[in-house]
Amino acid sequence: MKVLIPTDLTGNSDATIAMAFDITAHLCESITFLHLMNLPQYFMQLTDAERKTQHPEVNVDFEEATHKLKALVEESAEKGIEANFFIGSVKDKEDIANLANDKFYNLIIMSSLFVDGNKNRPSGYWMREVIRHTSVPVLAVKNVVKNQIQNVALLSDFNNEYLTNKDWINDFVIKMNAKLHLCCINTPSMFFDYRTMKSRMDNFKRAFEFDTTEVIYNDYQFDTGVKHLSEDLNLDMIIMNTHGRKGMDHFGRGGITEQIVERLDTPILCLPLLDVSQTINV
């Protein structure tokens, strides 16, 4: 498994990297630290001497970033994790997603507060764009959390369409040695009767190689329901579906997944509709 970790090399990324080390120790073969900068055109093709003379201020920032990234690679090696790094130039909103898709990464772990050198972009801009454009699962981390992921909720309407993600979830939960809750949140505007939802959940339950618990949760609003669910179950992570063949998942429609990422401190694993080749074992 290959994991991509975009980092802005600020305090925003500390929680992300701490969680990434725990996950990668369980799951992956290698990780890549990605840092985005506003680099002049052809900067990466210049020699060290040319960078110093032609772009002295940018070069200072570049060398500082390189030093920090090398330190992260060394820290990874001390933990027995193979790692490398890449510095890219900020071009457009799809940079991270394109890199993840083109290089066949299996998971992106990044801070929901990730920023780049462009001061006109608000905090959270990159997270929203990555969720919208990548076909790779994205784990959004905001604050310092417990290093170990033990209590996980799959939050969905449990449409059969999303059974295609069962192998990815199955492998992830087993290798993390975590407990999985199948959860649905009912609101006045988005309500499922008990029998329908119980039948859908049972169908998912049979797809996994471990025991699950099922929770049908009622609240007035979806986002507050997710918050209360996370608090009541003491969740370490929430898995939410994003894109599907018919558009957004019922719980992801209208950017709700992105809103949950922005409002909750609990890490959110945003899971697009995966094909059979996108597994933990790739």
Side-chain angles (χ1 to χ4, degrees):
M1 184 185 190
K2 295 171 61 179
V3 176
L4 180 66
I5 306 176
T7 173
D8 54 18
L9 299 176
T10 69
N12 292 338
S13 296
D14 290 346
T16 305
I17 292 172
M19 175 167 277
F21 280 146
D22 177 60
I23 291 176
T24 52
H26 287 84
L27 302 180
C28 83
E29 299 172 359
S30 65
I31 58 178
T32 298
F33 295 102
L34 169 67
H35 182 63
L36 298 180
M37 298 181 65
N38 282 313
L39 298 175
Q41 190 174 20
Y42 305 120
F43 180 86
M44 298 301 290
Q45 284 72 48
L46 300 176
T47 65
D48 290 344
E50 290 171 334
R51 291 173 182 171
K52 291 179 180 178
T53 56
Q54 296 180 29
H55 306 284
E57 294 183 359
V58 174
N59 188 65
V60 170
D61 293 338
F62 180 82
E63 289 185 344
E64 181 181 359
T66 300
H67 176 74
K68 291 181 179 179
L69 289 165
K70 286 182 176 179
L72 287 175
V73 171
E74 292 175 359
E75 184 177 357
S76 302
E78 292 173 357
K79 297 178 181 296
I81 302 169
E82 179 184 343
N84 54 62
F85 71 87
F86 175 75
I87 297 178
S89 178
V90 177
K91 295 178 183 178
D92 59 51
K93 62 185 180 182
E94 298 184 17
D95 278 356
I96 297 177
N98 286 338
L99 178 64
N101 295 335
D102 293 344
K103 299 298 182 181
F104 305 106
Y105 286 97
N106 309 101
L107 175 65
I108 300 173
I109 305 176
M110 66 184 295
S111 170
S112 59
L113 304 176
F114 180 92
V115 295
D116 58 40
N118 189 335
K119 296 181 179 179
N120 294 321
R121 287 180 175 142
S123 175
Y125 167 88
W126 277 104
M127 176 56 69
R128 290 191 297 273
E129 295 304 325
V130 170
I131 291 173
R132 290 173 185 174
H133 293 96
T134 186
S135 59
V136 178
V138 179
L139 175 58
V141 182
K142 184 178 294 183
N143 296 323
V144 176
V145 294
K146 293 188 296 185
N147 286 341
Q148 292 187 339
I149 299 172
Q150 298 175 328
N151 212 20
V152 179
L154 173 59
L155 184 59
S156 179
D157 60 11
F158 297 97
N159 189 308
N160 282 342
E161 179 179 32
Y162 292 97
L163 277 170
T164 189
N165 290 343
K166 64 181 175 59
D167 290 338
W168 203 102
I169 298 172
N170 193 75
D171 286 348
F172 182 86
V173 172
I174 289 175
K175 291 184 177 179
M176 294 303 300
N177 194 28
K179 178 173 182 166
L180 183 67
H181 307 272
L182 306 183
C183 301
C184 168
I185 294 180
N186 275 328
T187 67
S189 62
M190 189 167 60
F191 184 86
F192 297 91
D193 67 88
Y194 177 82
R195 285 187 175 183
T196 297
M197 185 50 60
K198 185 66 166 59
S199 176
R200 289 187 180 188
M201 287 181 166
D202 286 344
N203 196 25
F204 270 71
K205 187 175 182 177
R206 288 189 292 270
F208 296 126
E209 299 174 13
F210 44 78
D211 292 332
T212 64
T213 59
E214 297 76 49
V215 179
I216 300 176
Y217 203 88
N218 299 319
D219 212 309
Y220 289 107
Q221 292 183 326
F222 184 78
D223 55 350
T224 55
V226 178
K227 181 177 182 295
H228 295 156
L229 177 75
S230 179
E231 293 171 349
D232 290 349
L233 296 182
N234 192 27
L235 295 175
D236 301 317
M237 178 185 293
I238 296 172
I239 301 174
M240 295 184 69
N241 296 316
T242 53
H243 301 281
R245 295 189 186 95
K246 299 178 182 177
M248 299 293 282
D249 173 24
H250 195 72
F251 285 164
R253 190 172 296 133
I256 291 180
T257 302
E258 297 165 22
Q259 294 175 23
I260 297 301
V261 167
E262 292 178 358
R263 296 174 184 177
L264 250 68
D265 291 338
T266 307
I268 308 294
L269 178 58
C270 307
L271 202 60
L273 195 66
L274 305 172
D275 60 48
V276 293
S277 67
Q278 292 174 280
T279 66
I280 295 286
N281 295 313
V282 169

